[in-house]
Amino acid sequence: MAGWTLLAAAAAAQAQPPLPLAVSRVAPTAELRRGDDILELRSRIALRPEDRIVTGPQGRVALQLYGGGALRLGGDSTLRLHSVEPPGPGNGGVAKLILERGALRLDARGRSGRPPQDYRLNVGRLRLRVFGGEAWTELTARGENVCLLSGAVEIVTDTGGERLDEPGSCLLFGLAGRLPVRGDGGEALPRKLLRTAFADDINARALAEQTPEPPAEALPPADPGAPLPLPGDPLPAAVAGPRWTLVLASFPDPAAAENAVRSWLGQGETPQVRRSDTPSGVRYRLTVGDYAELAQARAALAELRGRQLDAAEAWVMPLPE
């Protein structure tokens, strides 16, 4: 009897209906993870709920929902497929997805008179809805980044709701919450979009090459190690990592940095000046603290921002070895 039960369970798993979400293009490396199985990812393969699509550094995957709305998964990314609801009044289907790491471009615009698609996407701590528009999002150790390309995107965070309705605008959420930077982390949108473009997308590549790289200090720091772990992955063995400090401000002139030190001393802080070589030239940074763990540095940053209004632009930086 137990044997029949196992056979019935296996048959039920095989009979699980495929999602109307089709793989339309694959650039290696990319694979399909289904439970404990790792399968070759091919065009027109039948996807199922809870499948994971995983790409290597140069991998790209394109998907279509009901032959309409398009998705582009970038390199070093993992996308989990939750479920798809059939087309209803005013929409061409609702796809529920989870971006576990990496970058994803979503195009929910209607095609050839078809109604638009409706994407519901979990990205780290964020819940996104892209309905009839186009957006780009990324989840890395730096945090969650969302950019609007057309239409609008609704964002639900731990602290409330956000909405992007101006094409080209971005929001960046760090571990301490929404970061008080330009909103896009200082990196131009064309360079971000290149992370989800196929190698033969000449227009995307040319536009990115025409866009200057951001100054190193404009980007909030990311963990320098491996990509974000997948749920269930074993923890890596402990290794000696960098130490961390907090950067209060950065100046191109050492005299200006020394003047700023005196100002911070009057506020009860004791910063020191560190010389740093960056792509935009030499910078003199005011730093405080020395932390063995990144989590400790981030906690100290949150505490510093809470007590010092002038620390709104502070960030975490690894100390040079």
Side-chain angles (χ1 to χ4, degrees), residues 122-287:
N122 289 6
V123 184
R125 298 159 297 168
L126 307 183
R127 308 293 179 264
L128 311 183
R129 185 188 184 194
V130 182
F131 175 57
E134 190 178 11
W136 182 94
T137 185
E138 185 176 45
L139 175 61
T140 67
R142 185 173 290 118
E144 300 94 343
N145 196 193
V146 183
C147 298
L148 179 67
L149 306 181
S150 68
V153 57
E154 298 173 8
I155 308 170
V156 177
T157 73
D158 295 337
T159 58
E162 302 269 4
R163 179 183 172 89
L164 291 176
D165 51 21
E166 180 180 349
S169 59
C170 300
L171 288 177
L172 178 62
F173 298 84
L175 295 185
R178 179 173 170 179
L179 298 184
V181 293
R182 282 173 41 194
D184 60 359
E187 184 180 16
L189 185 55
R191 287 189 169 272
K192 296 179 181 180
L193 297 181
L194 194 61
R195 297 202 278 275
T196 51
F198 283 84
D200 58 0
D201 191 335
I202 300 175
N203 292 333
R205 193 164 300 279
L207 189 58
E209 290 173 353
Q210 295 169 11
T211 306
E213 293 186 12
E217 65 178 19
L219 290 170
D223 292 349
L228 293 176
L230 298 178
D233 279 357
L235 293 176
V239 294
R243 301 187 67 85
W244 305 86
T245 189
L246 307 185
V247 181
L248 300 175
S250 178
F251 302 91
D253 178 54
E258 293 295 341
N259 287 334
V261 167
R262 288 190 285 271
S263 175
W264 280 99
L265 288 172
Q267 300 181 57
E269 307 296 339
T270 55
Q272 66 180 101
V273 178
R274 295 180 185 273
R275 184 183 185 277
S276 299
D277 294 315
T278 76
S280 57
V282 175
R283 297 283 174 173
Y284 297 88
R285 291 170 170 167
L286 271 60
T287 66

Side-chain angles (χ1 to χ4, degrees), residues 28 31 64 70 75 82 86 96 119 133 174 180 196 215 220 228 234 249-250 306:
E31 62 190 26
Q64 285 190 314
H82 182 273
K96 298 180 180 179
Y119 291 122
T196 51
L228 293 176
S250 178

